[in-house]
Amino acid sequence: MCGIIGIASTKSVSSNIVESLKKLEYRGYDSSGIATIDDNGINEKKCTGRVENLEKILFKTPSNGKVGVGHVRWATHGAPSKVNAHPHSSEQVSVVHNGIIENSSLLKEDLEKKGYKFKSQTDTEVITFLITEFLKDFDLVKAINKTLSKLKGSFALGIIFKKYADTVIGARKGSPLAVGYGHGENYLGSDSYALKSMTNKITYLDDGDICLLNNNKVEFYNSNNKKINKEVLTLSNDENTEDKGDYKDFMSKEINEQSITVKTCIKEYIDETRKDINLYNFPIKPNEIKKIVLVGCGTAYHSCIAAKYWFEELTTIPIETDVASEFRYRTIQFDKKNLYVFVSQSGETADTFAALDLCKKNNVKTCSVINVVESSIARLTDFVLPIHAGPEIGVASTKAFIGQMLVLYILAIKISDSRSEISKSDYTKKIIELKKLPDLISKTLKCEDKIQVIAKDFVNSKGVIFLGRGSSFPIALEGALKLKELSYVHAEGYPAGEMKHGPLALIEEGLPVIVLAPSDRYFVKTISNMQEVIARGAKVLLVTNTNNDVNSENIRFILTVPKSDPFFSPFLLTIPLQLLAYHVAKLKGCDIDKPRNLAKSVTVE
Ligand code: F6R
């Protein structure tokens, strides 16, 4: 979380810093700030709220300076306020920080004894004062490395100096940071996305690296103050995804483009002529896989649960799923014959990265299902399966979820075929069937008008329950997550069969319950569970793909998605739930693309 930008240029940098901060707002948006070096030294400006507030301040009182750093914050230590906003500056040094300094209280005590006066409640100010202190005795790189050696936790830093007025320094341990190369200027950014409008030449810092930039050169140093060389990568020029087009917000654009992103992804994986799935150099022979462990957070974790059902149907491989924040602290018996799969849209999620790191340290085979292919998780795994969804800007994940499920489904079919657990004809049929998915998604998206009506009926509810069985269960979880994060309505997803074991007590007259019941082997059971909640007064929205065998009496709404291959139900059931969360949030006047308290990329634990 938090976004960092730094620019060293031959011209004034503040407007470019602000433009880059707008792109970084998906990482945090409770406050923002900028510091530049001008003739009087460090010039710091910060404010609460969105970057547009900072822009207004800069419009009234412009900041000059050819070197500067900027920051968007997602509060960890200290409430979102002007004083806690970054940068944090002394007379000599100004620092922007992403991450958490775990030993900040101890460091603060020492620094206070030396006479430093702290203004904020953040953990970042200790970094500012440590650098200020070490600069009294050491040159620039040594002073930074001395400071870094004192810090426990994870961080990415951007730093500017009164004395070294043409220089921006970046440092990384645990939180991503990239350098971009321009003409007459060089950049520092939390990710390549923030830098993409300025350059497509970038270098990623590794843990322990320091970079030193000015307008005409970039140097890298390791923790022993030795100069090191680093690879310069050329980023692909993706489609112009920053444009909302005719949509009011990125989320509605991203929901509506799902049939296109699915089509693109299918094209990337399916060999049309051979009717086969392209998957070369997979890190482990499918026949030798003893177990598959699927790990992710939030929405990405829900895609792992959906995949569990597919792998279990299509292969004989035992499957385990876990949320990364639990996995990373478990006492796990790692096995070299297992495959560990990490699912992440951003590829920067701190818990998922730490879980992957644990696997790497145990020398087991890893693979990632990723949207941002240049990300830290993608770079650390043995094998990357991109979801080809294009940048997802809305904080609530939509097209990435569909993309994650799609790639995991494709992987399940391929592994099943490679292990000869599916007949050749069934394998070919599944591939042919896959090509129908984009069209089925387009058709499902047509339910938006109906959803708008349902949203009006649900908007004042205090809580909503989502029920599903089998592969509809993770979709119930995902539907509940979307509703709570976007509209701040309490929502819970349950396996429909669990209701009797407690949650049924919540049902009262008029409580909305969304029942996911495609025509599959669970259908009859789920419909019985639906009747049980109706009998207790629930207001039910049934999402199904069959009009048969349902007594529509007492069901408030029935929404029918297209009939399809049973494996596609999770994809099609997801869409009305995304739209419902969207429209309830819209009716409540919530910020669709930037829900409160959240950030797109969760780079702290
Ligand atoms: C919910 C959402 C989050 C993310 C989670 C993992 O809409 O977006 O739950 O899915 O923070 O993020 P990634 O996929 O970037 O690892």
Side-chain angles (χ1 to χ4, degrees):
M1 342 279 263
C2 300
I4 290 176
I5 186 83
I7 307 182
S9 179
T10 49
K11 49 187 201 281
S12 173
V13 291
S14 63
S15 60
N16 274 351
I17 288 182
V18 166
E19 284 314 307
S20 305
L21 288 181
K22 285 183 190 164
K23 297 205 178 70
L24 283 170
E25 264 195 321
Y26 76 92
R27 301 177 73 98
Y29 35 83
D30 55 43
S31 55
S32 64
I34 180 172
T36 54
I37 305 289
D38 61 23
D39 295 343
N40 301 318
I42 292 168
N43 180 356
E44 180 193 278
K45 291 197 171 95
K46 41 198 199 179
C47 59
T48 52
R50 301 289 158 86
V51 176
E52 60 186 25
N53 298 349
L54 183 67
E55 198 171 24
K56 283 182 197 148
I57 294 172
L58 287 165
F59 186 72
K60 279 192 199 142
T61 51
S63 279
N64 295 316
K66 295 173 183 166
V67 157
V69 285
H71 189 266
V72 283
R73 181 166 186 249
W74 184 88
T76 56
H77 285 57
S81 65
K82 185 173 168 186
V83 74
N84 288 334
H86 298 214
H88 291 280
S89 310
S90 67
E91 168 81 20
Q92 294 299 326
V93 174
S94 188
V95 175
V96 287
H97 165 217
N98 171 20
I100 293 178
I101 306 302
E102 288 164 2
N103 58 338
S104 61
S105 311
L106 283 176
L107 294 169
K108 189 173 171 183
E109 271 173 35
D110 284 353
L111 286 158
E112 276 172 336
K113 281 182 201 144
K114 291 194 170 109
Y116 287 95
K117 299 253 176 300
F118 285 78
K119 287 179 279 196
S120 75
Q121 290 86 51
T122 67
D123 50 347
T124 306
E125 235 179 327
V126 297
I127 307 173
T128 307
F129 293 144
L130 280 172
I131 300 172
T132 307
E133 184 66 13
F134 284 123
L135 275 175
K136 290 177 185 166
D137 301 318
F138 298 98
D139 68 25
L140 194 49
V141 172
K142 276 196 188 138
I144 300 298
N145 264 328
K146 283 267 174 203
T147 303
L148 301 187
S149 70
K150 299 272 176 204
L151 305 178
K152 291 207 169 76
S154 69
F155 50 80
L157 303 175
I159 314 155
I160 54 172
F161 310 85
K162 183 178 176 188
K163 189 169 159 198
Y164 305 94
D166 62 346
T167 303
V168 176
I169 284 212
R172 164 188 171 147
K173 188 190 148 203
S175 296
L177 198 62
V179 164
Y181 304 83
H183 300 290
E185 53 188 28
N186 291 306
Y187 321 100
L188 185 71
S190 309
D191 58 33
S192 58
Y193 178 63
L195 304 178
K196 253 185 176 171
S197 62
M198 302 185 282
T199 180
N200 66 344
K201 298 263 180 266
I202 65 150
T203 294
Y204 289 103
L205 272 75
D206 290 308
D207 278 355
D209 290 348
I210 291 176
C211 63
L212 189 150
L213 5 157
N214 53 40
N215 62 37
N216 59 7
K217 70 171 195 291
V218 176
E219 290 172 351
F220 295 94
Y221 294 86
N222 66 14
S223 53
N224 297 321
N225 309 313
K226 291 258 166 359
K227 235 188 202 177
I228 51 171
N229 292 322
K230 305 226 24 124
E231 194 185 354
V232 179
L233 307 170
T234 305
L235 298 176
S236 59
N237 287 321
D238 304 4
E239 63 279 27
N240 181 11
T241 44
E242 289 161 41
D243 187 4
K244 282 192 262 212
D246 291 337
Y247 293 100
K248 289 206 172 57
D249 26 60
F250 280 106
M251 187 184 176
S252 63
K253 174 178 180 259
E254 286 157 6
I255 291 175
N256 279 289
E257 71 192 10
Q258 290 179 114
S259 64
I260 300 167
T261 53
V262 161
K263 197 175 199 165
T264 311
C265 185
I266 291 172
K267 267 198 191 142
E268 291 288 337
Y269 284 99
I270 304 296
D271 182 328
E272 269 298 317
T273 14
R274 290 187 301 118
K275 295 279 175 287
D276 198 0
I277 292 167
N278 295 320
L279 208 65
Y280 304 109
N281 305 322
F282 202 63
I284 183 165
K285 288 199 182 97
N287 264 331
E288 290 172 7
I289 300 175
K290 203 163 133 193
K291 179 162 98 175
I292 296 179
V293 183
L294 300 156
V295 181
C297 297
T299 290
Y301 171 61
H302 297 159
S303 75
C304 297
I305 309 178
K308 176 175 80 174
Y309 290 94
W310 295 325
F311 274 105
E312 285 176 351
E313 291 265 319
L314 293 165
T315 75
T316 55
I317 305 171
I319 307 293
E320 183 184 318
T321 56
D322 205 354
V323 284
S325 54
E326 288 298 315
F327 182 92
R328 65 183 288 189
Y329 293 116
R330 277 168 53 199
T331 309
I332 293 172
Q333 300 305 316
F334 286 98
D335 190 324
K336 289 200 169 37
K337 292 210 164 130
N338 291 353
L339 173 67
Y340 296 82
V341 181
F342 295 86
V343 183
S344 174
Q345 185 286 130
S346 62
E348 302 295 352
T349 301
D351 283 319
T352 313
F353 186 84
L356 164 63
D357 198 39
L358 182 66
C359 288
K360 293 300 285 184
K361 289 190 174 117
N362 283 280
N363 291 318
V364 288
K365 295 283 188 289
T366 60
C367 148
S368 56
V369 175
I370 288 283
N371 199 24
V372 183
V373 289
E374 301 100 359
S375 62
S376 307
I377 292 173
R379 282 180 287 129
L380 193 63
T381 40
D382 301 322
F383 195 80
V384 182
L385 292 158
I387 64 167
H388 301 287
E392 190 180 63
I393 314 292
V395 164
S397 191
T398 52
K399 62 175 181 172
F401 177 60
I402 294 287
Q404 289 158 354
M405 289 202 296
L406 177 60
V407 168
L408 289 165
Y409 176 56
I410 289 174
L411 184 65
I413 309 173
K414 180 68 185 178
I415 289 183
S416 174
D417 170 60
S418 311
R419 292 165 62 97
S420 307
E421 291 183 325
I422 186 174
S423 69
K424 272 289 163 216
S425 66
D426 281 351
Y427 176 63
T428 313
K429 262 193 224 150
K430 290 228 158 293
I431 289 171
I432 295 170
E433 204 63 26
L434 254 180
K435 286 189 63 198
K436 297 184 186 157
L437 186 56
D439 192 41
L440 287 164
I441 290 177
S442 287
K443 287 194 175 114
T444 311
L445 281 163
K446 296 207 170 93
C447 69
E448 185 153 11
D449 288 350
K450 276 192 195 149
I451 292 286
Q452 276 174 302
V453 174
I454 300 168
K456 277 191 194 140
D457 196 60
F458 281 19
V459 68
N460 292 320
S461 311
K462 286 199 199 77
V464 179
I465 290 179
F466 290 72
L467 301 178
R469 283 174 180 254
S471 61
S472 303
F473 160 55
I475 308 309
L477 294 178
E478 176 60 8
L481 177 61
K482 284 292 91 92
L483 189 68
K484 60 188 140 190
E485 69 177 325
L486 281 164
S487 68
Y488 320 142
V489 171
H490 184 82
E492 292 304 334
Y494 284 107
E498 270 291 290
M499 285 303 280
K500 291 186 192 74
H501 303 286
L504 204 54
L506 293 171
I507 306 294
E508 57 186 17
E509 200 58 39
L511 183 92
V513 176
I514 297 173
V515 179
L516 307 177
S519 108
D520 56 16
R521 63 188 159 96
Y522 304 96
F523 181 75
V524 176
K525 302 277 172 204
T526 311
I527 294 298
S528 300
N529 297 133
M530 179 185 76
Q531 297 303 350
E532 286 158 9
V533 296
I534 289 177
R536 285 156 182 86
K539 176 163 82 177
V540 163
L541 161 61
L542 170 65
V543 188
T544 181
N545 58 5
T546 174
N547 293 322
N548 304 333
D549 309 323
V550 183
N551 171 7
S552 60
E553 208 185 333
N554 296 329
I555 303 177
R556 179 75 144 223
F557 300 104
I558 299 183
L559 199 119
T560 313
V561 299
K563 212 163 178 60
S564 68
D565 179 323
F567 283 93
F568 294 169
S569 294
F571 297 92
L572 305 188
L573 295 176
T574 298
I575 285 162
L577 306 192
Q578 293 172 338
L579 289 167
L580 183 69
Y582 175 87
H583 284 290
V584 171
K586 216 58 204 162
L587 288 170
K588 294 186 81 175
C590 302
D591 187 334
I592 299 289
D593 285 336
K594 295 188 178 74
R596 71 181 180 203
N597 302 338
L598 301 179
K600 184 74 184 157
S601 185
V602 186
T603 55
V604 291
E605 182 172 0

